[in-house]
Amino acid sequence: MNSWYEEWYATAERVRGIADDGMAAGHEVSAREAYLRASTYYAIRVLPARRPHRSAHQGEHREEQGLLRPGRAIVHSPMEPVSIPYEDTALPGYFYAADGTGTSRPTIIIQTGFDGTQKELYSGGAAAALRRGYNCLTFEGPGQGEASASRAYPSVTTGKT
């Protein structure tokens, strides 16, 4: 299993470098796609060992999710981090507006399952919703992804629909 982990990590790092270089050169589409690929490779490296609430993988998840943040500047739809109150904690998510006009639109809500990630929610559903003119809210449930990392999230209310 160590070789699996090491090779996918090396691939993720290489592709992240391609993304950083593309961003620096102003190649936004290529950079965005490379960040998403690198995020996927960071996730793949721990799939054989992932278990819910396993603290050893929380750092890896934060690294994978962190690639969404540099990509925020180049996602063509407004992307806003949100915090959804839940029991004694908050669940992390993103609100994607179909455009920057503030026009009220139908909103699709997508939640991940088991060990899914925000990146997967973007590429697996939010991007398609946005292309079709819908707003989209994605979030991770209790014990999933960033929610399992026990991070504090500022409460955000978008007021958007």
Side-chain angles (χ1 to χ4, degrees), residues 86 90-92 111-114 118 121 139-148:
Y86 176 78
L91 304 175
Q111 178 198 3
T112 188
F114 187 59
Q118 284 290 341
L121 295 177
F139 71 98
E140 297 169 333
Q144 299 169 334
E146 287 185 74
S148 69

Side-chain angles (χ1 to χ4, degrees), residues 73-86:
I74 55 176
V75 171
H76 292 289
S77 298
M79 175 182 168
E80 180 180 350
V82 297
S83 183
I84 302 165
Y86 176 78

Side-chain angles (χ1 to χ4, degrees), residues 6 8 26 29 31 50 56 75 84 88-90 101 107 114 129 132-133 143 158:
E6 291 166 6
W8 280 113
V29 172
R50 268 194 179 160
V75 171
I84 302 165
D88 61 346
T89 187
T101 65
T107 299
F114 187 59
R132 289 162 177 81
T158 65

Side-chain angles (χ1 to χ4, degrees), residues 21-87:
D21 291 347
M23 181 68 101
H27 304 295
E28 292 182 1
V29 172
S30 296
R32 177 178 61 244
E33 292 175 1
Y35 281 127
L36 291 173
R37 281 196 324 273
S39 180
T40 298
Y41 301 151
Y42 281 122
I44 288 171
R45 72 182 174 171
V46 296
L47 284 178
R50 268 194 179 160
R51 300 289 181 267
H53 305 291
R54 192 164 180 185
S55 62
H57 297 294
Q58 291 174 356
E60 285 125 350
H61 181 78
R62 280 192 289 271
E63 187 171 45
E64 169 195 343
Q65 290 303 105
L67 291 182
L68 274 179
R69 290 174 185 88
R72 283 182 62 194
I74 55 176
V75 171
H76 292 289
S77 298
M79 175 182 168
E80 180 180 350
V82 297
S83 183
I84 302 165
Y86 176 78
E87 293 182 354

